[in-house]
Amino acid sequence: MITACALAFVSLASGFQESPKSGSLKEAARNRFKVGVALATDKLTDRQYTSLVIRHFNSVTPENSLKPSSMLVSPGVYNFTESDKFVAFANSRRLEITGHTLVWHEQSPSFLYQDASGNPLSRTVALSNMRNHIHAVVGRYKGKVKGWDVVNEAVADSGGMRQTPAYRAIGPDYVLKAFEYAAEADPNAELYYNDYNIELNYKRPSALNLITSLRTGGAKLTAIGIQGHYNLSSSLNEIKGGIQQYINNGYNIMISELDVDVLPSSGNPYTAGLPSTIQNSLTQWYGNFFTYVATTPQIKRVTFWGLTDGNSWLNNWPISGRTNHPLLFDRNYRPKPAYNEVIRVLGTSSTPIP
Ligand code: XIL
């Protein structure tokens, strides 16, 4: 009795509701879209973490374990310990895997596309390195990974193509080549182009150019991955309008890395928790977003970039060591008001369920 009262008090005092006894994100989404989460491989032995994953999600993305530098230790030499663990975990629980990512300018060994002095390798050598990497990784997990973020972030914020090491060595068709190699290595895998802010007006024209050139070049492009790193001021109207342009061009969409940054550009004001005004804005933001998702059948998956607020990369980016609150579960694995709102809107949405 005393314990129950004490628990109720803690719950009220913290402003959070007790975890509902039943219900989950994936059940609420039904078969309208998949609900995914990015996972850290070193948390897969933590029962509290994995049970929340299994209850709410039917799709997973390794947050880091399938990135080139997590596996490729020196030219031609791989260490697959972490990535194998991740794939085995997800396969044994029947969680669909998104492989993230094959070609990216970050978290990739420089020797793939540059010589020891940092100069671009020849096109031939760089293409061969890219092909070998894609075959090594996609080939190893053939039939086990549902789809790949083949290339990540190829569009520059200033417009046009980002001048990455792969771009400088190979030329603008490096993206098309990466798609060709991935399709060779696993013809049944889904293949995605993944990037941030490509639904926003400033970046969309360049991204649509790139994507059109992939289509013209004959790439297999299953869907466009829109990362979805938002903040409380992100305009849902601009996001919706931008996504609609991709849909109008015949593409399906994956929201591949969703989170909503609640912190100001400097300072660390919410170490003791979110003030209710900000909590309410976050709740509303998520509610509006999922109302949109639930009524847009071309959005096939929404993946959160992290399970709980404590796991989010936004505690360390763009400034390290802060306390951010961007997700649906708090640091104690409890659902936040935004979680309840997402469940509510998914339950009331009038979208026909296929
Ligand atoms: C981030 C991870 O969450 C961090 O753990 C890591 O230190 C850096 O990368 N866009 C992407 C992701 O495509 O791969 C990034 O993930 C977040 C931004």
Side-chain angles (χ1 to χ4, degrees):
M1 184 61 189
I2 291 168
T3 319
C5 286
L7 275 176
F9 174 74
V10 168
S11 165
L12 283 176
S14 62
F16 292 112
Q17 306 193 6
E18 286 296 328
S19 183
K21 296 276 177 294
S22 63
S24 79
L25 292 170
K26 66 183 178 192
E27 283 164 23
R30 285 166 285 186
N31 52 357
R32 289 172 292 191
F33 58 93
K34 293 279 160 81
V35 192
V37 62
L39 301 182
T41 305
D42 62 6
K43 300 289 282 177
L44 298 180
T45 46
D46 173 339
R47 286 287 296 275
Q48 195 180 15
Y49 185 92
T50 55
S51 61
L52 201 62
V53 170
I54 290 160
R55 172 166 162 189
H56 289 284
F57 300 94
N58 43 26
S59 172
V60 291
T61 303
E63 189 173 350
N64 289 296
S65 304
L66 282 173
K67 291 172 178 173
S69 23
S70 302
M71 298 174 292
L72 184 52
V73 284
S74 55
V77 179
Y78 285 85
N79 179 345
F80 290 115
T81 314
E82 294 294 296
S83 48
D84 281 358
K85 256 189 230 164
F86 183 91
V87 170
F89 167 84
N91 282 176
S92 69
R93 270 112 184 143
R94 294 170 188 245
L95 297 161
E96 232 178 64
I97 301 174
T98 300
H100 175 81
T101 176
L102 299 170
V103 181
W104 189 25
H105 61 283
E106 285 177 27
Q107 294 179 271
S108 277
S110 56
F111 57 75
L112 278 171
Y113 308 111
Q114 288 172 7
D115 67 17
S117 333
N119 297 316
L121 294 175
S122 72
R123 174 176 164 90
T124 316
V125 174
L127 274 176
S128 151
N129 288 350
M130 187 167 84
R131 183 171 186 276
N132 288 342
H133 176 69
I134 290 175
H135 273 263
V137 175
V138 176
R140 183 175 186 89
Y141 300 118
K142 186 174 178 179
K144 297 181 172 175
V145 165
K146 163 128 186 197
W148 289 94
D149 291 338
V150 178
V151 177
N152 197 29
E153 303 181 350
V155 175
D157 283 311
S158 52
M161 299 277 291
R162 189 188 290 273
Q163 305 293 300
T164 67
Y167 177 96
R168 284 195 288 264
I170 298 168
D173 67 340
Y174 85 92
V175 181
L176 180 62
K177 289 287 178 194
F179 274 82
E180 265 174 46
Y181 301 150
E184 274 168 20
D186 184 354
N188 295 321
E190 296 192 344
L191 304 180
Y192 320 121
Y193 173 71
N194 198 57
D195 208 334
Y196 64 87
N197 291 355
I198 53 171
E199 72 282 37
L200 303 190
N201 298 332
Y202 83 96
K203 223 169 158 183
R204 194 180 57 245
S206 302
L208 275 168
N209 276 344
L210 170 64
I211 288 163
T212 305
S213 76
L214 294 178
R215 183 190 257 171
T216 314
K220 170 177 178 181
L221 183 54
T222 317
I224 309 302
I226 290 182
Q227 291 185 4
H229 293 297
Y230 298 125
N231 59 60
L232 292 173
S233 322
S234 298
S235 155
L236 190 54
N237 275 340
E238 185 179 357
I239 293 166
K240 285 182 190 173
I243 290 179
Q244 194 56 43
Q245 302 275 322
Y246 290 92
I247 293 174
N248 292 346
N249 279 279
Y251 298 109
N252 282 331
I253 304 294
M254 311 289 192
I255 304 296
S256 55
E257 305 183 14
L258 182 63
D259 47 27
V260 181
D261 190 338
V262 300
L263 292 179
S265 54
S266 64
N268 187 20
Y270 310 135
T271 50
L274 272 187
S276 59
T277 47
I278 312 282
Q279 188 76 269
N280 292 342
S281 309
L282 182 70
T283 301
Q284 233 170 49
W285 205 98
Y286 268 116
N288 293 337
F289 187 73
F290 275 90
T291 301
Y292 162 63
V293 169
T295 48
T296 308
Q298 294 86 353
I299 299 179
K300 301 295 183 189
R301 169 169 53 87
V302 178
T303 293
F304 291 86
W305 204 247
L307 180 61
T308 75
D309 286 343
N311 308 128
S312 169
W313 74 303
L314 292 176
N315 295 308
N316 291 303
W317 192 90
I319 298 171
S320 73
R322 297 200 295 176
T323 305
N324 216 325
H325 305 262
L327 297 165
L328 299 187
F329 297 97
D330 71 15
R331 287 173 163 70
N332 296 313
Y333 295 82
R334 286 179 307 191
K336 292 158 65 177
Y339 167 90
N340 295 317
E341 181 64 0
V342 169
I343 296 287
R344 189 186 71 77
V345 304
L346 292 179
T348 58
S349 152
S350 59
T351 336
I353 295 172

